[in-house]
Amino acid sequence: MKILVDLDSTLVDILTPTLKILNKKFKKEVKLEDITSWDKITEIFPKDAFYNLVESDNFYTDYVLPIAGSKEFIENLAKNNEIILVSSGKNSTEKVNYIIKTYNNKFSDIIFTYNKHEIKGDVLIDDNFQTIYKWVKSTDKLGILFRNNGLYKWNDVLWKHRKFKWKNTYKEILKEIECIK
């Protein structure tokens, strides 16, 4: 099975270091639970400050850490599946090297695109509801919305579709993937 997996906030935590740095710079005290939509961070902080930070050289290697359990999740998922990393972020050598090193080169491909619904695959795992919605509507294939143990308030949505699943943990995702094989 070909499984597409998002990077930011699905496998790695970009928000904790981003909030820490931007809070200090703009003298604010924004917490993760204050981010109730993906656009909220650029409503609270200047959009250019956010993107300049997360797209800066060495942001991933200096500040970003894998979400607990994500390395094991990818190891397990890669045992019987082709895994393609799909990211909406900017492509950079630093980011690609970080991905390869952190996840032991388990991805058959790394694709940077804002149109994940156009990539061929059987399942998409992402933390962004809009991305999952587009995927399910255009492909009629399984979209799994990762909620990171309910920490992600930006994807608390009520949408029912036979190809849409909410999952809080990597373990739940692995169980779902096993059920569809």
Side-chain angles (χ1 to χ4, degrees), residues 124-133 143-148 154-157 164-168 173:
L124 172 64
I125 303 166
D126 204 295
D127 68 294
N128 186 315
F129 172 73
Q130 299 330 77
T131 302
I132 293 293
Y133 180 82
I144 298 175
L145 185 65
F146 180 61
R147 300 185 68 238
N148 197 6
W154 62 85
N155 61 23
D156 281 349
V157 294
F164 169 73
K165 305 286 182 189
W166 271 18
K167 298 298 173 192
N168 283 311
I173 294 171

Side-chain angles (χ1 to χ4, degrees), residues 36-94:
T36 54
S37 72
W38 246 116
D39 297 332
K40 189 75 168 175
I41 198 161
T42 55
E43 291 171 12
I44 297 170
F45 299 106
K47 193 173 190 172
D48 62 333
F50 171 75
Y51 284 105
N52 287 341
L53 174 63
V54 300
E55 294 177 353
S56 65
D57 292 338
N58 300 325
F59 176 71
Y60 281 80
T61 53
D62 291 348
Y63 302 106
V64 175
L65 294 173
I67 294 171
S70 69
K71 289 181 183 182
E72 297 81 4
F73 169 67
I74 292 300
E75 287 284 334
N76 286 318
L77 206 55
K79 286 179 185 172
N80 300 308
N81 302 287
E82 177 185 358
I83 311 300
I84 298 174
L85 186 117
V86 290
S87 179
S88 299
K90 180 182 158 191
N91 183 355
S92 73
T93 302
E94 182 253 348

Side-chain angles (χ1 to χ4, degrees), residues 16-51:
T16 299
T18 299
L19 288 174
K20 184 177 181 180
I21 293 165
L22 293 179
N23 276 333
K24 184 175 181 180
K25 181 176 182 173
F26 293 99
K27 298 175 179 31
K28 294 187 183 240
E29 294 182 16
V30 179
K31 298 179 198 78
L32 183 61
E33 55 267 18
D34 297 328
I35 308 302
T36 54
S37 72
W38 246 116
D39 297 332
K40 189 75 168 175
I41 198 161
T42 55
E43 291 171 12
I44 297 170
F45 299 106
K47 193 173 190 172
D48 62 333
F50 171 75
Y51 284 105

